[in-house]
Amino acid sequence: AEVRNPLNSKESPSGEMLFPGLFLDQLPRQCFLSDNESVVLSSWWGSSETPLIVSLKDSSVTKLSGISPLSSKSDELAPHEIQKESCCSILDVCGDSLLMAVSSPVQPQQLCVFDCKSRQVIGRNSFISRFSIRKIKQKAVSTNIITTPSVTATTETTPAKSAPTDSEADISNLHAVVFKHEAAGVPFDSILLFPKTLVVDGMSVTSLPVVVVPHGGPHSITPTNFIASSAFLASHLQAAVLSVNYRGSIGFGHDSIESLPGKIGANDVADIMTALAAVERSCNLPDDANNSQQLPSLDMRRVCVVGGSHGGFLAAHLVGQYPDVFKAACMRNPVTNIPAMVTCADIPDWCFVEACGIDAYDFSSSQVPSVEQLVAMQQCSPVRYIDRVMAPTLICLGAKDRRVPYSQGLEYFQLLKSRSVETKLMVFPEDVHAIDRPASEAEQWVAIAEWIKKHV
């Protein structure tokens, strides 16, 4: 059925984004309500996964809102901003009841049952208010990891700080705020996650370092749900974690998606800097200004970037284009040199489309890039700015990655090393693009946290 709602991302008079289109991977196993005329599904609406009812009778779309995780302190709903900025994923349907997984940036997933007729939650599981990271020791987590020493300007090596051996982070101390931005008429969001009580080594602090985390894809999203790695960085480092859903992210309409191909390394980088500046203005208010959202003060002298895949591509761009802003970087399987990647990756279409434009690739056959296309790929590659990079850089690679060849990060490491930029390489021999084997995932995030602690 045709969905007769506006397929753009303009805002309504109330400021709420209108229906941006459908952005989903699959339908629930059972997706029909009892009337057999209504389909229920979860789709990205801005930065939030949102449950929708699509009528096959009149093609209307109904947004189910107000569903949120329970507060960690009571059985009441979480605060208003968390109700609005949470993610709801429909898992199954029985009659007019929906089984959903509900989460927010400060609450892990919970199961709930939602009744479509009464528009009420009729059942929940108990909430989880704490998560623990116990006895994480780098040497015990992964015994087959390959590392190279840190390289400083004087080629001396500095031993890495030991990983935390017994820490417990209380996520009830975390708070999240979603910021709205716009560039060239296209909206995008950023999500700021930060600890409400600022204590480092038993001492109160007045301002927080900033960890910028761009997502991969680039046609993906950082959702307003619970992300353990972000919660870990915010709580363990006592830092503000800024995730930017730059133009090209899903959930913001067709115009947003099509605005990025051919402009990677430019539009996405500009959006991150726009979000960073806007968040700084909102957080670093004069002493007599009204801070109704209880935003933290940010220390803009201590800004770093962490990203994987296209997020690693953006991390490399940011430290190259803005060397005075970013004091450290952590990259996970980053794209760094697109001309060197296009003929050996399992996504050559990505290289053509994202670097040269939507119509640059013929999906009916394999292609060899033209000289003009290779030049365009080089122009948007982070290696273009390698001579400007000053930030100490940690690079984590999965040796079996076919999506972004291992050689991309290795070449970037060698380029930094030859320029006396402090850098460290961690290779996970059995991991692929995601570096998500349990031991490897724990190892890399501990290493990332310790790298930031050392350099920011």
Side-chain angles (χ1 to χ4, degrees), residues 3-46:
V3 180
R4 298 173 187 164
N5 281 58
L7 294 176
N8 59 54
S9 12
K10 303 296 183 182
E11 290 188 344
S12 67
S14 65
E16 183 180 357
M17 182 189 298
L18 296 177
F19 178 57
L22 294 177
F23 296 90
L24 69 158
D25 294 325
Q26 60 185 10
L27 293 169
R29 183 179 62 178
Q30 163 60 259
C31 61
F32 282 91
L33 295 180
S34 61
D35 61 7
N36 290 321
E37 294 181 344
S38 302
V39 173
V40 290
L41 52 88
S42 297
S43 180
W44 296 102
W45 194 311

mmCIF file of all heavy atoms in Angstrom, residues 3-46:
data_model
loop_
_atom_site.group_PDB
_atom_site.id
_atom_site.type_symbol
_atom_site.label_atom_id
_atom_site.label_comp_id
_atom_site.label_asym_id
_atom_site.label_seq_id
_atom_site.Cartn_x
_atom_site.Cartn_y
_atom_site.Cartn_z
ATOM 1 N N VAL A 3 2.025 4.674 1.288
ATOM 2 C CA VAL A 3 1.927 5.405 2.542
ATOM 3 C C VAL A 3 1.772 6.881 2.207
ATOM 4 O O VAL A 3 2.696 7.517 1.712
ATOM 5 C CB VAL A 3 3.170 5.165 3.421
ATOM 6 C CG1 VAL A 3 3.054 5.930 4.722
ATOM 7 C CG2 VAL A 3 3.328 3.682 3.702
ATOM 8 N N ARG A 4 0.596 7.412 2.470
ATOM 9 C CA ARG A 4 0.287 8.767 2.016
ATOM 10 C C ARG A 4 0.605 9.798 3.084
ATOM 11 O O ARG A 4 -0.230 10.588 3.498
ATOM 12 C CB ARG A 4 -1.187 8.850 1.623
ATOM 13 C CG ARG A 4 -1.551 7.925 0.461
ATOM 14 C CD ARG A 4 -3.044 7.909 0.229
ATOM 15 N NE ARG A 4 -3.421 6.907 -0.764
ATOM 16 C CZ ARG A 4 -4.644 6.473 -0.930
ATOM 17 N NH1 ARG A 4 -5.633 6.954 -0.171
ATOM 18 N NH2 ARG A 4 -4.909 5.553 -1.831
ATOM 19 N N ASN A 5 1.801 9.766 3.545
ATOM 20 C CA ASN A 5 2.275 10.792 4.470
ATOM 21 C C ASN A 5 3.449 11.501 3.823
ATOM 22 O O ASN A 5 4.112 10.944 2.953
ATOM 23 C CB ASN A 5 2.705 10.173 5.806
ATOM 24 C CG ASN A 5 1.531 9.858 6.690
ATOM 25 O OD1 ASN A 5 0.656 9.105 6.307
ATOM 26 N ND2 ASN A 5 1.511 10.433 7.865
ATOM 27 N N PRO A 6 3.742 12.739 4.221
ATOM 28 C CA PRO A 6 4.828 13.483 3.569
ATOM 29 C C PRO A 6 6.165 12.775 3.763
ATOM 30 O O PRO A 6 6.593 12.528 4.882
ATOM 31 C CB PRO A 6 4.812 14.840 4.293
ATOM 32 C CG PRO A 6 4.086 14.595 5.567
ATOM 33 C CD PRO A 6 3.105 13.513 5.283
ATOM 34 N N LEU A 7 6.815 12.443 2.660
ATOM 35 C CA LEU A 7 8.091 11.744 2.725
ATOM 36 C C LEU A 7 9.244 12.734 2.743
ATOM 37 O O LEU A 7 10.181 12.650 1.979
ATOM 38 C CB LEU A 7 8.227 10.796 1.525
ATOM 39 C CG LEU A 7 7.232 9.643 1.503
ATOM 40 C CD1 LEU A 7 7.385 8.841 0.228
ATOM 41 C CD2 LEU A 7 7.443 8.743 2.705
ATOM 42 N N ASN A 8 9.163 13.707 3.610
ATOM 43 C CA ASN A 8 10.270 14.635 3.787
ATOM 44 C C ASN A 8 10.496 14.819 5.272
ATOM 45 O O ASN A 8 9.783 14.268 6.095
ATOM 46 C CB ASN A 8 9.964 15.985 3.112
ATOM 47 C CG ASN A 8 8.713 16.617 3.666
ATOM 48 O OD1 ASN A 8 8.580 16.792 4.864
ATOM 49 N ND2 ASN A 8 7.775 16.969 2.790
ATOM 50 N N SER A 9 11.497 15.559 5.634
ATOM 51 C CA SER A 9 11.813 15.706 7.040
ATOM 52 C C SER A 9 11.615 17.124 7.539
ATOM 53 O O SER A 9 12.340 17.576 8.387
ATOM 54 C CB SER A 9 13.235 15.245 7.302
ATOM 55 O OG SER A 9 13.973 15.041 6.165
ATOM 56 N N LYS A 10 10.680 17.848 6.940
ATOM 57 C CA LYS A 10 10.371 19.176 7.456
ATOM 58 C C LYS A 10 9.703 19.049 8.820
ATOM 59 O O LYS A 10 9.149 18.023 9.165
ATOM 60 C CB LYS A 10 9.437 19.917 6.495
ATOM 61 C CG LYS A 10 9.996 20.040 5.072
ATOM 62 C CD LYS A 10 11.249 20.883 5.037
ATOM 63 C CE LYS A 10 11.739 21.048 3.595
ATOM 64 N NZ LYS A 10 12.979 21.826 3.522
ATOM 65 N N GLU A 11 9.780 20.114 9.590
ATOM 66 C CA GLU A 11 9.188 20.067 10.918
ATOM 67 C C GLU A 11 7.765 20.613 10.883
ATOM 68 O O GLU A 11 7.424 21.471 10.068
ATOM 69 C CB GLU A 11 10.030 20.875 11.905
ATOM 70 C CG GLU A 11 11.370 20.226 12.200
ATOM 71 C CD GLU A 11 12.102 20.932 13.315
ATOM 72 O OE1 GLU A 11 11.709 22.074 13.637
ATOM 73 O OE2 GLU A 11 13.044 20.355 13.858
ATOM 74 N N SER A 12 6.951 20.085 11.788
ATOM 75 C CA SER A 12 5.594 20.585 11.947
ATOM 76 C C SER A 12 5.643 21.908 12.681
ATOM 77 O O SER A 12 6.669 22.290 13.241
ATOM 78 C CB SER A 12 4.773 19.566 12.746
ATOM 79 O OG SER A 12 5.266 19.488 14.069
ATOM 80 N N PRO A 13 4.525 22.651 12.714
ATOM 81 C CA PRO A 13 4.515 23.925 13.443
ATOM 82 C C PRO A 13 4.925 23.769 14.905
ATOM 83 O O PRO A 13 5.450 24.699 15.503
ATOM 84 C CB PRO A 13 3.064 24.387 13.302
ATOM 85 C CG PRO A 13 2.597 23.758 12.021
ATOM 86 C CD PRO A 13 3.274 22.426 11.974
ATOM 87 N N SER A 14 4.692 22.584 15.481
ATOM 88 C CA SER A 14 5.063 22.371 16.880
ATOM 89 C C SER A 14 6.551 22.093 17.048
ATOM 90 O O SER A 14 7.052 21.999 18.159
ATOM 91 C CB SER A 14 4.267 21.196 17.454
ATOM 92 O OG SER A 14 4.629 19.997 16.785
ATOM 93 N N GLY A 15 7.276 21.969 15.936
ATOM 94 C CA GLY A 15 8.702 21.705 16.006
ATOM 95 C C GLY A 15 9.064 20.243 15.888
ATOM 96 O O GLY A 15 10.234 19.888 15.805
ATOM 97 N N GLU A 16 8.065 19.352 15.847
ATOM 98 C CA GLU A 16 8.328 17.921 15.733
ATOM 99 C C GLU A 16 8.483 17.532 14.273
ATOM 100 O O GLU A 16 7.738 18.000 13.412
ATOM 101 C CB GLU A 16 7.198 17.117 16.375
ATOM 102 C CG GLU A 16 7.437 15.615 16.354
ATOM 103 C CD GLU A 16 6.304 14.842 17.007
ATOM 104 O OE1 GLU A 16 5.372 15.492 17.510
ATOM 105 O OE2 GLU A 16 6.353 13.595 17.003
ATOM 106 N N MET A 17 9.465 16.690 13.998
ATOM 107 C CA MET A 17 9.684 16.253 12.628
ATOM 108 C C MET A 17 8.492 15.449 12.131
ATOM 109 O O MET A 17 7.993 14.565 12.810
ATOM 110 C CB MET A 17 10.954 15.402 12.562
ATOM 111 C CG MET A 17 11.297 14.928 11.150
ATOM 112 S SD MET A 17 12.634 13.710 11.145
ATOM 113 C CE MET A 17 13.957 14.694 11.832
ATOM 114 N N LEU A 18 8.035 15.760 10.919
ATOM 115 C CA LEU A 18 6.979 14.983 10.303
ATOM 116 C C LEU A 18 7.538 13.646 9.823
ATOM 117 O O LEU A 18 8.740 13.407 9.838
ATOM 118 C CB LEU A 18 6.359 15.758 9.144
ATOM 119 C CG LEU A 18 5.633 17.064 9.513
ATOM 120 C CD1 LEU A 18 5.138 17.759 8.253
ATOM 121 C CD2 LEU A 18 4.475 16.793 10.473
ATOM 122 N N PHE A 19 6.630 12.776 9.380
ATOM 123 C CA PHE A 19 7.013 11.434 8.955
ATOM 124 C C PHE A 19 8.149 11.479 7.932
ATOM 125 O O PHE A 19 7.987 12.033 6.838
ATOM 126 C CB PHE A 19 5.790 10.741 8.369
ATOM 127 C CG PHE A 19 6.052 9.359 7.840
ATOM 128 C CD1 PHE A 19 6.589 8.376 8.657
ATOM 129 C CD2 PHE A 19 5.760 9.039 6.525
ATOM 130 C CE1 PHE A 19 6.825 7.099 8.172
ATOM 131 C CE2 PHE A 19 5.985 7.766 6.030
ATOM 132 C CZ PHE A 19 6.526 6.792 6.863
ATOM 133 N N PRO A 20 9.329 10.897 8.247
ATOM 134 C CA PRO A 20 10.475 10.998 7.342
ATOM 135 C C PRO A 20 10.550 9.901 6.300
ATOM 136 O O PRO A 20 11.467 9.887 5.475
ATOM 137 C CB PRO A 20 11.663 10.908 8.307
ATOM 138 C CG PRO A 20 11.177 9.999 9.390
ATOM 139 C CD PRO A 20 9.705 10.286 9.547
ATOM 140 N N GLY A 21 9.616 8.950 6.336
ATOM 141 C CA GLY A 21 9.700 7.758 5.498
ATOM 142 C C GLY A 21 9.995 6.547 6.364
ATOM 143 O O GLY A 21 10.184 6.656 7.580
ATOM 144 N N LEU A 22 10.006 5.386 5.755
ATOM 145 C CA LEU A 22 10.248 4.149 6.488
ATOM 146 C C LEU A 22 11.726 3.774 6.412
ATOM 147 O O LEU A 22 12.296 3.698 5.328
ATOM 148 C CB LEU A 22 9.390 3.008 5.935
ATOM 149 C CG LEU A 22 7.874 3.160 6.112
ATOM 150 C CD1 LEU A 22 7.145 1.990 5.455
ATOM 151 C CD2 LEU A 22 7.500 3.264 7.595
ATOM 152 N N PHE A 23 12.317 3.544 7.570
ATOM 153 C CA PHE A 23 13.714 3.120 7.666
ATOM 154 C C PHE A 23 13.765 1.922 8.613
ATOM 155 O O PHE A 23 13.783 2.087 9.839
ATOM 156 C CB PHE A 23 14.593 4.250 8.196
ATOM 157 C CG PHE A 23 14.654 5.456 7.294
ATOM 158 C CD1 PHE A 23 13.744 6.494 7.432
ATOM 159 C CD2 PHE A 23 15.603 5.540 6.284
ATOM 160 C CE1 PHE A 23 13.793 7.604 6.593
ATOM 161 C CE2 PHE A 23 15.665 6.638 5.440
ATOM 162 C CZ PHE A 23 14.752 7.675 5.596
ATOM 163 N N LEU A 24 13.756 0.714 8.050
ATOM 164 C CA LEU A 24 13.768 -0.489 8.876
ATOM 165 C C LEU A 24 14.425 -1.626 8.106
ATOM 166 O O LEU A 24 14.463 -1.618 6.865
ATOM 167 C CB LEU A 24 12.360 -0.876 9.312
ATOM 168 C CG LEU A 24 11.387 -1.390 8.241
ATOM 169 C CD1 LEU A 24 10.286 -2.203 8.919
ATOM 170 C CD2 LEU A 24 10.745 -0.241 7.464
ATOM 171 N N ASP A 25 14.942 -2.597 8.842
ATOM 172 C CA ASP A 25 15.583 -3.759 8.229
ATOM 173 C C ASP A 25 14.582 -4.876 7.938
ATOM 174 O O ASP A 25 14.680 -5.571 6.927
ATOM 175 C CB ASP A 25 16.688 -4.304 9.135
ATOM 176 C CG ASP A 25 17.831 -3.321 9.287
ATOM 177 O OD1 ASP A 25 18.129 -2.627 8.305
ATOM 178 O OD2 ASP A 25 18.414 -3.244 10.389
ATOM 179 N N GLN A 26 13.613 -5.053 8.848
ATOM 180 C CA GLN A 26 12.666 -6.145 8.670
ATOM 181 C C GLN A 26 11.400 -5.876 9.483
ATOM 182 O O GLN A 26 11.405 -5.068 10.417
ATOM 183 C CB GLN A 26 13.276 -7.481 9.121
ATOM 184 C CG GLN A 26 13.684 -7.501 10.589
ATOM 185 C CD GLN A 26 14.389 -8.786 10.970
ATOM 186 O OE1 GLN A 26 14.735 -9.594 10.123
ATOM 187 N NE2 GLN A 26 14.609 -8.974 12.266
ATOM 188 N N LEU A 27 10.338 -6.570 9.114
ATOM 189 C CA LEU A 27 9.089 -6.492 9.866
ATOM 190 C C LEU A 27 9.129 -7.460 11.040
ATOM 191 O O LEU A 27 9.912 -8.420 11.037
ATOM 192 C CB LEU A 27 7.908 -6.857 8.962
ATOM 193 C CG LEU A 27 7.596 -5.885 7.819
ATOM 194 C CD1 LEU A 27 6.583 -6.513 6.869
ATOM 195 C CD2 LEU A 27 7.061 -4.566 8.362
ATOM 196 N N PRO A 28 8.316 -7.242 12.072
ATOM 197 C CA PRO A 28 8.211 -8.238 13.146
ATOM 198 C C PRO A 28 7.745 -9.579 12.580
ATOM 199 O O PRO A 28 7.131 -9.632 11.498
ATOM 200 C CB PRO A 28 7.154 -7.639 14.089
ATOM 201 C CG PRO A 28 7.117 -6.185 13.772
ATOM 202 C CD PRO A 28 7.462 -6.069 12.321
ATOM 203 N N ARG A 29 8.017 -10.639 13.293
ATOM 204 C CA ARG A 29 7.616 -11.974 12.839
ATOM 205 C C ARG A 29 6.130 -12.034 12.533
ATOM 206 O O ARG A 29 5.685 -12.590 11.536
ATOM 207 C CB ARG A 29 7.991 -13.007 13.909
ATOM 208 C CG ARG A 29 7.677 -14.444 13.517
ATOM 209 C CD ARG A 29 8.097 -15.399 14.602
ATOM 210 N NE ARG A 29 7.377 -15.146 15.842
ATOM 211 C CZ ARG A 29 7.538 -15.881 16.950
ATOM 212 N NH1 ARG A 29 8.421 -16.863 16.961
ATOM 213 N NH2 ARG A 29 6.848 -15.607 18.034
ATOM 214 N N GLN A 30 5.334 -11.468 13.400
ATOM 215 C CA GLN A 30 3.889 -11.299 13.178
ATOM 216 C C GLN A 30 3.653 -9.795 13.184
ATOM 217 O O GLN A 30 3.947 -9.122 14.155
ATOM 218 C CB GLN A 30 3.096 -11.974 14.284
ATOM 219 C CG GLN A 30 1.645 -11.544 14.396
ATOM 220 C CD GLN A 30 0.848 -11.809 13.136
ATOM 221 O OE1 GLN A 30 0.609 -10.903 12.346
ATOM 222 N NE2 GLN A 30 0.440 -13.051 12.932
ATOM 223 N N CYS A 31 3.134 -9.250 12.102
ATOM 224 C CA CYS A 31 3.064 -7.789 12.003
ATOM 225 C C CYS A 31 1.643 -7.244 11.849
ATOM 226 O O CYS A 31 1.465 -6.023 11.766
ATOM 227 C CB CYS A 31 3.930 -7.297 10.853
ATOM 228 S SG CYS A 31 3.457 -7.924 9.228
ATOM 229 N N PHE A 32 0.613 -8.111 11.822
ATOM 230 C CA PHE A 32 -0.764 -7.638 11.659
ATOM 231 C C PHE A 32 -1.479 -7.576 13.006
ATOM 232 O O PHE A 32 -1.343 -8.478 13.840
ATOM 233 C CB PHE A 32 -1.550 -8.554 10.723
ATOM 234 C CG PHE A 32 -1.250 -8.325 9.268
ATOM 235 C CD1 PHE A 32 -0.251 -9.041 8.630
ATOM 236 C CD2 PHE A 32 -1.960 -7.379 8.538
ATOM 237 C CE1 PHE A 32 0.031 -8.832 7.293
ATOM 238 C CE2 PHE A 32 -1.693 -7.161 7.202
ATOM 239 C CZ PHE A 32 -0.693 -7.884 6.569
ATOM 240 N N LEU A 33 -2.260 -6.509 13.198
ATOM 241 C CA LEU A 33 -3.150 -6.440 14.350
ATOM 242 C C LEU A 33 -4.394 -7.287 14.068
ATOM 243 O O LEU A 33 -4.571 -7.846 12.980
ATOM 244 C CB LEU A 33 -3.538 -4.988 14.626
ATOM 245 C CG LEU A 33 -2.395 -4.059 15.062
ATOM 246 C CD1 LEU A 33 -2.920 -2.646 15.302
ATOM 247 C CD2 LEU A 33 -1.700 -4.581 16.311
ATOM 248 N N SER A 34 -5.274 -7.351 15.047
ATOM 249 C CA SER A 34 -6.423 -8.259 14.954
ATOM 250 C C SER A 34 -7.383 -7.897 13.827
ATOM 251 O O SER A 34 -8.125 -8.760 13.348
ATOM 252 C CB SER A 34 -7.182 -8.287 16.286
ATOM 253 O OG SER A 34 -7.674 -6.991 16.608
ATOM 254 N N ASP A 35 -7.372 -6.641 13.359
ATOM 255 C CA ASP A 35 -8.298 -6.260 12.288
ATOM 256 C C ASP A 35 -7.808 -6.708 10.908
ATOM 257 O O ASP A 35 -8.528 -6.572 9.916
ATOM 258 C CB ASP A 35 -8.529 -4.743 12.285
ATOM 259 C CG ASP A 35 -7.251 -3.949 12.052
ATOM 260 O OD1 ASP A 35 -6.197 -4.555 11.752
ATOM 261 O OD2 ASP A 35 -7.302 -2.708 12.165
ATOM 262 N N ASN A 36 -6.594 -7.236 10.844
ATOM 263 C CA ASN A 36 -5.978 -7.688 9.590
ATOM 264 C C ASN A 36 -5.874 -6.581 8.551
ATOM 265 O O ASN A 36 -5.664 -6.846 7.367
ATOM 266 C CB ASN A 36 -6.746 -8.882 8.991
ATOM 267 C CG ASN A 36 -6.563 -10.140 9.811
ATOM 268 O OD1 ASN A 36 -5.461 -10.415 10.308
ATOM 269 N ND2 ASN A 36 -7.635 -10.904 9.970
ATOM 270 N N GLU A 37 -5.999 -5.341 8.987
ATOM 271 C CA GLU A 37 -5.872 -4.201 8.088
ATOM 272 C C GLU A 37 -4.789 -3.234 8.534
ATOM 273 O O GLU A 37 -4.534 -2.233 7.861
ATOM 274 C CB GLU A 37 -7.206 -3.442 7.990
ATOM 275 C CG GLU A 37 -8.321 -4.233 7.330
ATOM 276 C CD GLU A 37 -9.595 -3.427 7.234
ATOM 277 O OE1 GLU A 37 -9.702 -2.393 7.945
ATOM 278 O OE2 GLU A 37 -10.490 -3.812 6.454
ATOM 279 N N SER A 38 -4.180 -3.536 9.673
ATOM 280 C CA SER A 38 -3.166 -2.646 10.232
ATOM 281 C C SER A 38 -1.865 -3.414 10.446
ATOM 282 O O SER A 38 -1.865 -4.484 11.063
ATOM 283 C CB SER A 38 -3.634 -2.055 11.563
ATOM 284 O OG SER A 38 -4.843 -1.338 11.404
ATOM 285 N N VAL A 39 -0.789 -2.852 9.933
ATOM 286 C CA VAL A 39 0.538 -3.438 10.092
ATOM 287 C C VAL A 39 1.313 -2.618 11.118
ATOM 288 O O VAL A 39 1.309 -1.377 11.064
ATOM 289 C CB VAL A 39 1.298 -3.459 8.750
ATOM 290 C CG1 VAL A 39 2.742 -3.914 8.940
ATOM 291 C CG2 VAL A 39 0.583 -4.353 7.755
ATOM 292 N N VAL A 40 1.949 -3.296 12.061
ATOM 293 C CA VAL A 40 2.777 -2.596 13.041
ATOM 294 C C VAL A 40 4.245 -2.900 12.752
ATOM 295 O O VAL A 40 4.612 -4.012 12.370
ATOM 296 C CB VAL A 40 2.417 -3.006 14.486
ATOM 297 C CG1 VAL A 40 1.067 -2.463 14.876
ATOM 298 C CG2 VAL A 40 2.466 -4.504 14.664
ATOM 299 N N LEU A 41 5.080 -1.892 12.937
ATOM 300 C CA LEU A 41 6.504 -2.033 12.666
ATOM 301 C C LEU A 41 7.263 -0.955 13.433
ATOM 302 O O LEU A 41 6.672 -0.005 13.949
ATOM 303 C CB LEU A 41 6.775 -1.913 11.159
ATOM 304 C CG LEU A 41 6.204 -0.695 10.432
ATOM 305 C CD1 LEU A 41 7.152 0.496 10.477
ATOM 306 C CD2 LEU A 41 5.870 -1.035 8.989
ATOM 307 N N SER A 42 8.557 -1.121 13.508
ATOM 308 C CA SER A 42 9.425 -0.115 14.120
ATOM 309 C C SER A 42 10.294 0.502 13.038
ATOM 310 O O SER A 42 10.901 -0.216 12.233
ATOM 311 C CB SER A 42 10.317 -0.740 15.201
ATOM 312 O OG SER A 42 9.542 -1.262 16.256
ATOM 313 N N SER A 43 10.339 1.823 12.994
ATOM 314 C CA SER A 43 11.116 2.525 11.981
ATOM 315 C C SER A 43 11.831 3.706 12.629
ATOM 316 O O SER A 43 11.375 4.243 13.646
ATOM 317 C CB SER A 43 10.180 3.016 10.867
ATOM 318 O OG SER A 43 10.901 3.704 9.867
ATOM 319 N N TRP A 44 12.949 4.095 12.035
ATOM 320 C CA TRP A 44 13.704 5.231 12.582
ATOM 321 C C TRP A 44 13.018 6.535 12.234
ATOM 322 O O TRP A 44 12.706 6.808 11.086
ATOM 323 C CB TRP A 44 15.136 5.212 12.052
ATOM 324 C CG TRP A 44 15.884 4.004 12.520
ATOM 325 C CD1 TRP A 44 16.161 2.869 11.823
ATOM 326 C CD2 TRP A 44 16.388 3.800 13.839
ATOM 327 N NE1 TRP A 44 16.817 1.970 12.624
ATOM 328 C CE2 TRP A 44 16.977 2.510 13.870
ATOM 329 C CE3 TRP A 44 16.412 4.568 15.005
ATOM 330 C CZ2 TRP A 44 17.577 1.985 15.002
ATOM 331 C CZ3 TRP A 44 17.010 4.042 16.134
ATOM 332 C CH2 TRP A 44 17.580 2.774 16.136
ATOM 333 N N TRP A 45 12.779 7.322 13.273
ATOM 334 C CA TRP A 45 12.158 8.645 13.142
ATOM 335 C C TRP A 45 13.095 9.600 13.860
ATOM 336 O O TRP A 45 13.082 9.691 15.073
ATOM 337 C CB TRP A 45 10.784 8.627 13.787
ATOM 338 C CG TRP A 45 9.890 9.788 13.448
ATOM 339 C CD1 TRP A 45 10.206 11.105 13.494
ATOM 340 C CD2 TRP A 45 8.526 9.724 13.039
ATOM 341 N NE1 TRP A 45 9.139 11.878 13.142
ATOM 342 C CE2 TRP A 45 8.085 11.053 12.856
ATOM 343 C CE3 TRP A 45 7.629 8.687 12.814
ATOM 344 C CZ2 TRP A 45 6.792 11.369 12.462
ATOM 345 C CZ3 TRP A 45 6.336 9.003 12.423
ATOM 346 C CH2 TRP A 45 5.913 10.328 12.245
ATOM 347 N N GLY A 46 13.914 10.303 13.097
ATOM 348 C CA GLY A 46 15.018 11.018 13.735
ATOM 349 C C GLY A 46 15.979 9.999 14.319
ATOM 350 O O GLY A 46 16.274 8.968 13.701
#
